[in-house]
Amino acid sequence: MKTTELFKRKTVFSLEIFPPKKTASIATVYDTLDGLEGIHPDFISVTFGAVGAGDNTHTFPIASTVKKYYQIEGVAHLPAIGLTRDQVRERLDEMKARGIDNVLALRGDLPAGGEQPTGHFPHASDLIAFIREYSDLNIIAACYPETHPECPSRVDDIRNLKRKVDAGASHLISQLFFDNSRFYGFLERCDLAGIDVPIEAGIMPVVNKTQIERITSLCGAEIPHKFRVMMDRFGDNPRAMRDAGIAYAIDQIIDLITQGVDGIHLYTMNNPYIARRINDAVSTLIANTPPRAAHRKVFALA
């Protein structure tokens, strides 16, 4: 099933997992998937590894197994930086052969040290246009509520996002954020630009100080005062910080659902306990709240 069909029926709830590090057994990711049993997400996306540390040869087999064994729609990440058209064709053919219907098309991280990448896809929009021409895979793209770190302005960022949608992206998943007002402002800018595809809010429960410092350095997400106070108060107590981080994420999600968000994409960090805690708190709300698309005319009149 293509993910676009899901948004016609309900508020979507999805999860992200990543392959194990090269030094770890592939079995660890299946332990994670077994631990998620009972949550029933609409789909699970599989990254190309944890910040480049994973073994990306596992991405397609895991996404395929998610669909065939766990009976959950699988989405495979495809960062194309440094790849040629022939290499991308090979990956798209493998996805189809494995029964994968959905791809998250990404440019990918630039090489460390400022080295200019080679390859035929300098932008995600280039990759999306190529996939649309070559394959019938459903294409998902990333978006940045607080503007892509490399983009000089919000206007340029929205213009680039519109290029992704015009090239063939049918559904967007946002980078993580901790201030919902930033996400709502982003949705308004998308509406003004004519970006009318479903947009899922990316939520990551932050459960320790080291994690938040690493995350903000990578994606530039702003840390609201409320979150900083929480981190200062509980950061040296691992169990308290874990529970506070889960509670903060739940609070974000409840507010987003109340406002009619199209979907919630939970960055699980391969931690079934955290995913379960959050699912238990919000699953009834998600099941009984129509998505944003049903409210757009109401919002426009407010």
Side-chain angles (χ1 to χ4, degrees), residues 124-192:
S125 56
D126 300 318
L127 173 62
I128 292 167
F130 181 79
I131 296 173
R132 173 58 59 237
E133 181 179 350
Y134 180 75
S135 169
D136 64 351
L137 286 167
N138 180 55
I139 307 168
I140 305 167
C143 58
Y144 295 79
E146 297 175 87
T147 305
H148 192 287
E150 298 170 27
C151 200
S153 73
R154 287 180 176 179
V155 172
D156 289 327
D157 195 49
I158 290 294
R159 186 178 293 119
N160 291 337
L161 183 59
K162 185 68 162 60
R163 289 192 184 102
K164 294 182 186 180
V165 174
D166 290 345
S170 63
H171 157 201
L172 303 172
I173 298 176
S174 90
Q175 178 61 272
L176 62 93
F177 57 91
F178 301 106
D179 184 344
N180 285 6
S181 67
R182 296 300 184 99
F183 184 73
Y184 299 140
F186 169 72
L187 293 183
E188 289 179 1
R189 295 192 294 276
C190 287
D191 284 344
L192 290 171

Side-chain angles (χ1 to χ4, degrees), residues 183-220:
F183 184 73
Y184 299 140
F186 169 72
L187 293 183
E188 289 179 1
R189 295 192 294 276
C190 287
D191 284 344
L192 290 171
I195 297 171
D196 59 359
V197 298
I199 302 174
E200 277 194 277
I203 299 296
M204 178 180 285
V206 176
V207 296
N208 62 68
K209 268 188 174 182
T210 303
Q211 187 182 33
I212 188 62
E213 291 166 356
R214 180 175 59 84
I215 289 167
T216 54
S217 68
L218 288 171
C219 69

Side-chain angles (χ1 to χ4, degrees), residues 10-287:
K10 62 186 290 291
T11 301
V12 167
F13 182 61
S14 57
L15 308 176
E16 178 182 285
I17 62 172
F18 53 79
K21 294 181 179 179
K22 293 180 181 180
T23 54
S25 168
I26 183 63
T28 60
V29 77
Y30 297 117
D31 291 340
T32 295
L33 289 166
D34 288 342
L36 296 172
E37 184 179 2
I39 293 181
H40 307 301
D42 292 293
F43 68 86
I44 294 177
S45 71
V46 185
T47 75
F48 247 52
V51 197
D55 183 352
N56 52 27
T57 61
H58 292 317
T59 298
F60 299 159
I62 294 170
S64 179
T65 299
V66 164
K67 181 173 183 177
K68 294 178 180 178
Y69 180 80
Y70 292 93
Q71 299 297 301
I72 300 169
E73 198 61 46
V75 173
H77 289 218
L78 179 60
I81 196 163
L83 297 182
T84 66
R85 293 182 184 87
D86 286 342
Q87 288 172 320
V88 168
R89 286 190 192 97
E90 290 174 3
R91 285 157 175 77
L92 296 174
D93 290 344
E94 181 181 352
M95 277 187 261
K96 289 299 291 183
R98 291 184 179 276
I100 298 168
D101 294 320
N102 303 280
V103 57
L104 179 55
L106 305 161
R107 183 200 67 180
D109 296 330
L110 292 172
E115 179 183 344
Q116 288 300 311
T118 58
H120 295 152
F121 303 98
H123 305 103
S125 56
D126 300 318
L127 173 62
I128 292 167
F130 181 79
I131 296 173
R132 173 58 59 237
E133 181 179 350
Y134 180 75
S135 169
D136 64 351
L137 286 167
N138 180 55
I139 307 168
I140 305 167
C143 58
Y144 295 79
E146 297 175 87
T147 305
H148 192 287
E150 298 170 27
C151 200
S153 73
R154 287 180 176 179
V155 172
D156 289 327
D157 195 49
I158 290 294
R159 186 178 293 119
N160 291 337
L161 183 59
K162 185 68 162 60
R163 289 192 184 102
K164 294 182 186 180
V165 174
D166 290 345
S170 63
H171 157 201
L172 303 172
I173 298 176
S174 90
Q175 178 61 272
L176 62 93
F177 57 91
F178 301 106
D179 184 344
N180 285 6
S181 67
R182 296 300 184 99
F183 184 73
Y184 299 140
F186 169 72
L187 293 183
E188 289 179 1
R189 295 192 294 276
C190 287
D191 284 344
L192 290 171
I195 297 171
D196 59 359
V197 298
I199 302 174
E200 277 194 277
I203 299 296
M204 178 180 285
V206 176
V207 296
N208 62 68
K209 268 188 174 182
T210 303
Q211 187 182 33
I212 188 62
E213 291 166 356
R214 180 175 59 84
I215 289 167
T216 54
S217 68
L218 288 171
C219 69
E222 180 184 346
I223 305 302
H225 175 71
K226 177 181 177 180
F227 193 97
R228 288 192 182 278
V229 171
M230 180 188 77
M231 189 168 60
D232 290 343
R233 178 67 178 84
F234 301 114
D236 294 328
N237 183 327
R239 186 170 181 178
M241 184 63 207
R242 179 199 67 188
D243 289 345
I246 291 172
Y248 191 94
I250 290 170
D251 185 59
Q252 274 192 278
I253 293 169
I254 291 173
D255 180 65
L256 289 161
I257 295 170
T258 301
Q259 295 297 323
V261 71
D262 289 322
I264 301 293
H265 189 65
L266 188 67
Y267 297 104
T268 68
M269 302 304 291
N270 285 23
N271 190 319
Y273 172 80
I274 294 173
R276 281 182 169 281
R277 285 275 303 272
I278 291 174
N279 179 74
D280 290 346
V282 305
S283 58
T284 302
L285 301 178
I286 289 174

